[in-house]
Amino acid sequence: MRAWRVERPGAIEDGPIRFEDVQDPEPDAGELLVRVLACGVCRTDLHVAEGDLAPHKVGVVPGHEVVGEVVALGAGDTRGFRVGDRVGIAWLRYTCGRCRYCLRGAENLCPESRYTGWDADGGYAERTTVPAAFAHRLPSGYSDAELAPLLCAGIIGYRALERASLRPGGRLGIYGFGGSAHLAAQVALARGAEVHVMTRDSAAQSLALELGASSAQGAADPPPVALDAAILFAPVGELVLPALEALDRGGVLSIAGIHLSDIPILNYQRHLFQEKEIRSVTANTRDDAREFLAFAAEHHLEVTVHRYHLREADRALSDLAHGRFAGAAVLVP
């Protein structure tokens, strides 16, 4: 089959990934073999390709927003999946199930956790595998390409919104407005929130307003009102300061990214006093995924998708790095 592999992590313009013939994968016990129908292009894939995230597997196939069709089953327990089922593959691929984090419902913090497209080959390929226990059943009413971004951008945005502890009807600020943010904004709006978007891209500002945001301005501009909560999606540490300044007393800033550039020095009085909080987001649990996918089934989300052929993954990552589109990019074979 054909797949993209991270040959030598580095700047995307230097060609760190290569499209080549690789051996077809085989499902291990408890795994599903999946024919890839669509795979979202996530900023985490860019971090893996460029080396912002240290390599976990030499020559890994990126991609962890995978929509596919089950074509074969491994031996043992495959959780009731059948050949022909449409399934989703997300970032979280394995947790131990026995550590103190897993036992308290925080499997996203499991020290033995493993991830699709980082520890194991992902969806920038014609076929891939997934442990059945970590495969997701998908809502109807969406195309394959529309479903793909839900499997990381959507799930992580949902967890980031939960971590922000936004009160009912509260004011939410969103910093950066890409694939994850444009979905999280819709969840917040459906819950009655007032949403204000800060992003440098004019097309993203327009999309935010089209989706129902009350305002859209530059990335570091102050919103027109004090915020009850904010989510930072852009991997830019400098934006932590204006986001904290924009919070009302007792406000929470949730940082959604797996990678963030350095945060400048904070001034306690300006940025943290009056019981403001900063919270990070680390991966997600399977419960997060199930809750979000159930929400997406009940509330149809407008998923802004830009399609690229599988062979164009390098161009899709370059376009993502340079902000050449609003919404989410998806690879289709």
Side-chain angles (χ1 to χ4, degrees), residues 4-170:
W4 288 91
R5 296 174 63 249
V6 180
E7 184 176 63
R8 185 182 295 107
I12 195 63
E13 307 307 335
D14 294 336
I17 63 173
R18 291 189 62 180
F19 195 43
E20 54 194 34
D21 292 314
V22 301
Q23 186 174 355
D24 279 16
E26 295 290 337
D28 289 335
E31 291 188 345
L32 313 175
L33 177 63
V34 174
R35 178 172 67 90
V36 177
L37 303 175
C39 183
V41 178
C42 180
R43 188 166 292 275
T44 301
D45 302 333
L46 184 63
H47 293 319
V48 170
E50 295 197 317
D52 296 323
L53 298 179
H56 279 192
K57 178 186 177 183
V58 176
V60 72
V61 176
H64 57 275
E65 296 179 334
V66 184
V67 176
E69 177 189 5
V70 177
V71 294
L73 306 173
D77 179 13
T78 52
R79 303 298 172 101
F81 285 104
R82 298 179 179 180
V83 171
D85 285 349
R86 186 168 70 161
V87 299
I89 304 174
W91 177 237
L92 188 66
R93 182 182 178 89
Y94 169 82
T95 56
C96 73
R98 59 183 181 274
C99 70
R100 62 193 179 108
Y101 305 102
C102 287
L103 293 177
R104 77 183 195 206
E107 66 178 1
N108 59 308
L109 302 179
C110 175
E112 297 182 32
S113 57
R114 300 291 181 269
Y115 302 96
T116 308
W118 194 18
D119 296 288
D121 290 338
Y124 284 28
E126 294 173 336
R127 293 189 174 196
T128 191
T129 62
V130 61
F134 287 81
H136 297 284
R137 300 188 184 276
L138 299 170
S140 60
Y142 297 88
S143 68
D144 296 331
E146 290 171 330
L147 282 168
L150 302 186
L151 290 161
C152 180
I155 295 169
I156 291 298
Y158 178 83
R159 184 171 182 85
L161 182 58
E162 295 294 288
R163 292 280 290 160
S165 297
L166 181 66
R167 63 175 177 80

Side-chain angles (χ1 to χ4, degrees), residues 295-317:
F295 183 95
E298 185 176 351
H299 303 82
H300 188 84
L301 302 174
E302 296 297 327
V303 188
T304 301
V305 168
H306 300 268
R307 292 172 174 81
Y308 295 77
H309 193 277
L310 174 61
R311 63 176 175 267
E312 300 176 302
D314 53 348
R315 183 166 71 87
L317 284 170

